[in-house]
Amino acid sequence: MRTVLMVAEKPSLAQSIAKILSRGNMSSRKGLNGACSVHEYTGSFIGQSAHFKMTSVCGHVMTLDFIGKYNSWDKVDPAELFSKAPTEKKEANPKLTMVKFLQVEGRGCDCIVLWLDCDKEGENICFEVLDAVLPVMNKPRGTERTIYRAKFSSITDTDICNAMNHLGEPNRNEALSVDARQELDLRIGCAFTRFQTKYFQGKYGNLDSSLISFGPCQTPTLGFCVERHDKIQSFKPETYWVLQAKVNPEKESSITLDWDRVRVFDREVAQMFLNITKTAKETRVESVSKKEKVKQRPLALNTVEMLRVASAALGMGPQYAMQIAERLYTQGYISYPRTETTHYPENFDLKGCLRQQANNPYWAETVKAFLSEGINRPRKGHDAGDHPPITPMRAATEAELGGDGWRLYEYITRHFIATVSADCKYLQTTISFSIGPERFTCVGKLVTSPGFTEIMPWHSIPLEESLPHCEKGDLFPIGEIKLLEKQTSPPDYLTEAELITLMEKHGIGTDASIPVHINNICQRNYVTVESGRRLKPTNLGIVLVHGYYKIDAELVLPTIRSAVEKQLSLIALGKANYHQVLEHTLDIFKRKFHYFVDSIAGMDELMEVSFSPLAATGKPLSRCGKCHRFMKYIQAKPSRLHCSHCDDTYSLPQNGTIKLYKELRCPLDDFELVLWSSGSRGKSYPLCPYCYNHPPFRDMKKGMGCNECTHPTCQHSLSMLGIGQCVECENGVLVLDSTSGPKWKMACNKCNVVVHFFENAHKVRVSPETCDLCEAALVDVDFNKAKSPLPGDETQHSGCVFCDPVFQDLVELKHAAMRHPMHRGGQGKRQGRGRGKGRRPGGRLNSKKPKDKMAALAAYFV
């Protein structure tokens, strides 16, 4: 019996596909990485009986990055990143050990069927999976085929079974186009980002962005927002005048007429027209025309249109809308949500999809009428050759999907029903009037057949006051005629929907990446999302774009990226060479980068006007160890300390608060210590600003606080305050937070584990002695007599946090932030003993640890 490995893109998809193919008759088990399950069943595969193993990955298995030394911002010239710096594929999420998991499951398999999403990213992941699995699979006999690719657009029984019966091959060209995009974005983005971040953050203190990033797609996206901002700023309102006439066809009613000249910009001319028309007492009907008009039903729904509507009508950001759409797809409610196609293939089962909606109370009557009377073929749209348009695949209720999920699903369903509905038809009546020599018009619309507007009422023709029945030559009395003074108004800031339209029009990004680019410019603090989901550029965003325009407009204009996207599409079609496209594009951007670096003073002049230099920013906090003057704490992102006398800047840990730590000094460099805290429920630890940026010992890395410092005698170091190995992560040490009393805690210096203990204790100290059972440091605890939880009203006790039964009920494990899915266990009291909790400075385990701290440190260094 052959063994067939099948791999989907997400665990939930693997389960759904396995359930359909096995008809529910499968056994499931957890994989070794804990995140993916394996579903097994027997069946037939290409005419032979086979044992199937269905599992999944979690998105991309690998990610592209520079090799080790080129990841250092300080040691590498950003210009080297264009060609010299070698790249390598690394595991996208090392904690998931996805390669090892795939190899364990793939070992001994005869065939592999790839059920990755059917888009370019999916094809790329196919080859990542093959690279991991092929070396451990059984070798094929002769020319026997072992690699198969399933093509599907929805998680329905019909589509999945059909895909299984018509297996193809993965597309190497599409995978290469994704590799090319990844490498271009990595090399170009990193080079520009590193240079401008270091240059400007070293000069200005209130940029309020931890990263001044550049992206070949992200920057033109920001450019559109700033272009609209510039139009608003440079707009000068103009006054104009409009003639407005009202006629009274009947005694009780009046209708307002529109002037055929629309408006004039000269007051005296407008007054002249008013004087001419005021002499007339009656208006004469010059013509009456009636015309049947049609409002077309919408084209079938693609990704870009769904994102536009989600933002404009449902108030959802593009990234959030895409996440909801993907969830609806994996649960089988809608077809694949990433598609550029707006045309249904001839063989698409429209009636089958419509039947699914026959019992929904919101549109049951409309659907049943279509099923009995027949449906209209949807309009002929664009066929991009990827997936069918986004379509509801099964019925759902609001209770099943919840708020936003239901709102998006309801829109997708209404849009689908509208595509098979009739067009909306209405009768348009236009009456032309004359008042003296001037012509006026009024238009009325009367719906004759609502068509698709019944299911999409927001598209319906607005009800207007009915026009009088009249014929050419009829006379009506004039109610009033007056001159209105108005002003031209500036355009508004771009909405997300308008930005998506511009990006699609200019070929910036793909249907899958457009939401990511918009989200990036928001997260970088280049734009803010205002009411009505309008994108207003910040000072930083405006200055950056103006600077790019000043130095090299092509960095921000959409033209060059649009040309690159076309080249990437040609790679996917097999019409362009991967290496040539990569080499040519990088060469262009390398030249642009060198010119940008040489001309950076042009952008700097704009920065000087908008932002304050470091020396003028922030407030005095702690003393510099070199000049003993106060350094200023700059709170704006990225938070840092700056000594204006020495002209040195020291980076600090982010996303927390910084305050002076009791005016204590580091014994190595005499800098005053500061205390970083993530809040009362989180971690806090002291750090020396100099040691944090310039590690004093060879086993320390940049960005380590006192809780990871291996100084042998400093009272704040790991050597003095470390208690034992972390209960969850491999390399962490639980360190006493000596500032946390009376709600004492110890926190891991690597992960987010926090252990609360000895609440209301008067003093907690780490003893030089260690536990005989688990080698953790003992803890001395002093309680006030009134609040002592110790047995026999004792106030002092010394023991092991993990092993001592007296301490067992006084210790509680928590997490400082959201846990990683790989972490085991949960919140609550610790049960039983630790798992060999010896203190391990630097993370190295000796077979027998010396109990004396100094001896331990000496053994470590030797």
Side-chain angles (χ1 to χ4, degrees), residues 26-187:
M26 62 181 188
S27 63
S28 301
R29 59 181 168 82
K30 273 279 181 205
L32 69 85
N33 66 359
C36 303
S37 296
V38 184
H39 313 282
E40 300 184 70
Y41 65 96
T42 51
S44 71
F45 183 70
I46 314 179
Q48 298 179 11
S49 61
H51 174 70
F52 291 95
K53 288 164 79 173
M54 180 85 200
T55 187
S56 74
V57 290
C58 297
H60 273 284
V61 179
M62 311 300 282
T63 186
L64 189 72
D65 202 355
F66 295 112
I67 63 164
K69 78 167 195 175
Y70 287 94
N71 280 318
S72 166
W73 284 40
D74 299 320
K75 294 175 184 171
V76 177
D77 178 359
E80 291 183 29
L81 303 180
F82 284 99
S83 49
K84 279 188 186 174
T87 56
E88 62 178 344
K89 291 261 186 176
K90 297 177 180 175
E91 281 205 50
N93 190 339
K95 288 184 179 174
L96 289 176
T97 58
M98 195 60 74
V99 172
K100 186 179 176 185
F101 163 69
L102 288 170
Q103 288 178 340
V104 166
E105 298 304 334
R107 194 173 300 281
C109 289
D110 300 293
C111 299
I112 182 166
V113 181
L114 299 156
W115 289 86
L116 285 306
D117 288 353
C118 299
D119 58 8
K120 288 172 189 170
E121 294 288 338
E123 296 301 323
N124 190 262
I125 301 171
C126 282
F127 287 93
E128 292 174 357
V129 171
L130 291 176
D131 288 343
V133 170
L134 286 180
V136 297
M137 282 174 57
N138 292 337
K139 296 286 176 278
R141 302 183 196 96
T143 57
E144 186 184 33
R145 187 176 158 203
T146 57
I147 300 166
Y148 298 88
R149 174 75 163 111
K151 296 276 184 182
F152 57 101
S153 293
S154 62
I155 313 301
T156 58
D157 295 20
T158 315
D159 215 18
I160 296 300
C161 294
N162 191 41
M164 192 66 180
N165 295 331
H166 299 88
L167 295 172
E169 290 184 7
N171 187 323
R172 168 68 74 179
N173 289 328
E174 287 193 359
L176 279 175
S177 77
V178 173
D179 282 339
R181 176 181 279 109
Q182 284 179 351
E183 188 161 343
L184 288 174
D185 289 352
L186 175 73
R187 290 186 183 278

Side-chain angles (χ1 to χ4, degrees), residues 74 641 649-652 687-696 701-704:
D74 299 320
L641 284 167
T649 305
Y650 301 96
S651 57
L652 296 169
L687 63 111
C688 162
Y690 190 83
C691 295
Y692 187 81
N693 289 272
H694 307 94
K701 291 178 185 165
K702 191 173 177 179
M704 286 185 168

Side-chain angles (χ1 to χ4, degrees), residues 822-842:
M822 292 303 299
H823 284 156
R824 301 180 316 287
Q827 298 186 1
K829 305 238 169 150
R830 270 192 55 75
Q831 301 292 322
R833 289 180 182 166
R835 47 184 176 96
K837 299 284 181 295
R839 196 173 0 177
R840 304 192 302 170

Side-chain angles (χ1 to χ4, degrees), residues 252-270:
E252 296 295 315
S253 67
S254 76
I255 53 173
T256 304
L257 310 183
D258 296 319
W259 191 21
D260 282 9
R261 291 185 194 273
V262 183
R263 60 188 179 183
V264 292
F265 286 89
D266 190 310
R267 167 85 202 221
E268 290 179 8
V269 173

Side-chain angles (χ1 to χ4, degrees), residues 555-706:
L555 292 174
V556 76
L557 288 171
T559 45
I560 195 162
R561 182 60 194 195
S562 180
V564 171
E565 290 287 353
K566 283 175 187 162
Q567 291 296 313
L568 294 173
S569 298
L570 290 174
I571 293 174
L573 295 168
K575 294 178 181 176
N577 180 284
Y578 162 78
H579 295 289
Q580 286 174 353
V581 170
L582 210 58
E583 198 176 317
H584 176 65
T585 309
L586 286 173
D587 184 52
I588 290 170
F589 273 97
K590 186 178 182 179
R591 290 162 192 264
K592 288 185 173 296
F593 177 76
H594 283 299
Y595 183 71
F596 180 72
V597 171
D598 293 341
S599 314
I600 193 69
M603 189 185 275
D604 200 19
E605 285 167 10
L606 299 175
M607 285 278 187
E608 278 176 352
V609 176
S610 300
F611 299 104
S612 309
L614 276 176
T617 317
K619 55 182 183 183
L621 179 74
S622 67
R623 289 185 187 272
C624 169
K626 295 177 183 177
C627 65
H628 300 290
R629 288 178 170 85
F630 276 104
M631 297 190 291
K632 284 187 172 179
Y633 171 46
I634 296 155
Q635 241 173 324
K637 283 184 182 177
S639 55
R640 54 213 192 272
L641 284 167
H642 178 71
C643 176
S644 52
H645 185 262
C646 304
D647 197 20
D648 285 330
T649 305
Y650 301 96
S651 57
L652 296 169
Q654 303 299 304
N655 306 320
T657 57
I658 293 278
K659 58 186 181 186
L660 191 60
Y661 185 51
K662 305 177 187 172
E663 296 186 7
L664 296 168
R665 292 175 183 267
C666 173
L668 294 170
D669 48 48
D670 215 29
F671 273 71
E672 280 187 337
L673 303 183
V674 293
L675 183 74
W676 177 86
S677 172
S678 64
S680 57
R681 295 184 179 183
K683 289 164 63 167
S684 57
Y685 57 83
L687 63 111
C688 162
Y690 190 83
C691 295
Y692 187 81
N693 289 272
H694 307 94
F697 302 116
R698 68 180 184 188
D699 57 320
M700 286 178 67
K701 291 178 185 165
K702 191 173 177 179
M704 286 185 168
C706 296

Side-chain angles (χ1 to χ4, degrees), residues 438-625:
E438 288 304 294
R439 289 291 186 100
F440 293 81
T441 309
C442 70
V443 178
K445 293 171 185 171
L446 181 67
V447 175
T448 53
S449 167
F452 78 94
T453 60
E454 282 187 320
I455 197 75
M456 295 176 97
W458 57 92
H459 280 305
S460 57
I461 306 294
L463 290 169
E464 295 176 354
E465 52 191 275
S466 56
L467 295 182
H469 181 72
C470 57
E471 290 178 8
K472 185 178 177 180
D474 286 357
L475 297 172
F476 294 116
I478 297 170
E480 68 169 335
I481 187 155
K482 59 183 177 182
L483 201 59
L484 300 179
E485 184 180 305
K486 296 187 176 185
Q487 274 197 325
T488 54
S489 54
D492 213 333
Y493 284 104
L494 280 180
T495 62
E496 282 173 333
E498 289 167 338
L499 180 57
I500 291 165
T501 305
L502 283 170
M503 291 173 76
E504 184 193 29
K505 178 183 169 185
H506 292 281
I508 298 297
T510 61
D511 53 355
S513 66
I514 281 173
V516 178
H517 301 315
I518 295 175
N519 188 53
N520 279 346
I521 62 171
C522 295
Q523 286 198 325
R524 297 281 183 263
N525 195 34
Y526 294 162
V527 298
T528 55
V529 182
E530 306 289 307
S531 62
R533 300 210 67 83
R534 293 190 178 275
L535 301 168
K536 184 179 180 182
T538 61
N539 238 357
L540 180 59
I542 294 162
V543 171
L544 280 175
V545 169
H546 288 175
Y548 294 134
Y549 270 118
K550 195 172 178 183
I551 296 170
D552 181 357
E554 282 192 335
L555 292 174
V556 76
L557 288 171
T559 45
I560 195 162
R561 182 60 194 195
S562 180
V564 171
E565 290 287 353
K566 283 175 187 162
Q567 291 296 313
L568 294 173
S569 298
L570 290 174
I571 293 174
L573 295 168
K575 294 178 181 176
N577 180 284
Y578 162 78
H579 295 289
Q580 286 174 353
V581 170
L582 210 58
E583 198 176 317
H584 176 65
T585 309
L586 286 173
D587 184 52
I588 290 170
F589 273 97
K590 186 178 182 179
R591 290 162 192 264
K592 288 185 173 296
F593 177 76
H594 283 299
Y595 183 71
F596 180 72
V597 171
D598 293 341
S599 314
I600 193 69
M603 189 185 275
D604 200 19
E605 285 167 10
L606 299 175
M607 285 278 187
E608 278 176 352
V609 176
S610 300
F611 299 104
S612 309
L614 276 176
T617 317
K619 55 182 183 183
L621 179 74
S622 67
R623 289 185 187 272
C624 169

Side-chain angles (χ1 to χ4, degrees), residues 718-725 733 765-780 798-804 807 836-841 848-857:
L718 169 65
S719 312
M720 288 300 200
L721 297 177
I723 293 175
Q725 186 193 328
V733 176
R765 289 181 300 277
V766 180
S767 164
E769 300 298 315
T770 55
C771 173
D772 292 332
L773 289 171
C774 72
E775 297 188 1
L778 300 184
V779 177
D780 300 330
S798 183
C800 174
V801 171
F802 305 104
C803 308
D804 195 320
F807 284 162
K837 299 284 181 295
R839 196 173 0 177
R840 304 192 302 170
K848 179 107 173 64
K849 289 188 185 162
K851 292 192 178 177
D852 172 54
K853 267 186 209 168
M854 292 303 292
L857 205 70

Side-chain angles (χ1 to χ4, degrees), residues 349-380:
D349 186 10
L350 293 165
K351 279 197 171 174
C353 293
L354 213 49
R355 265 186 223 106
Q356 294 281 347
Q357 304 298 332
N359 296 318
N360 190 300
Y362 290 103
W363 42 75
E365 286 182 25
T366 311
V367 169
K368 282 173 182 169
F370 283 144
L371 292 171
S372 60
E373 297 164 17
I375 60 171
N376 281 309
R377 278 295 305 169
R379 285 167 58 196
K380 188 167 175 61

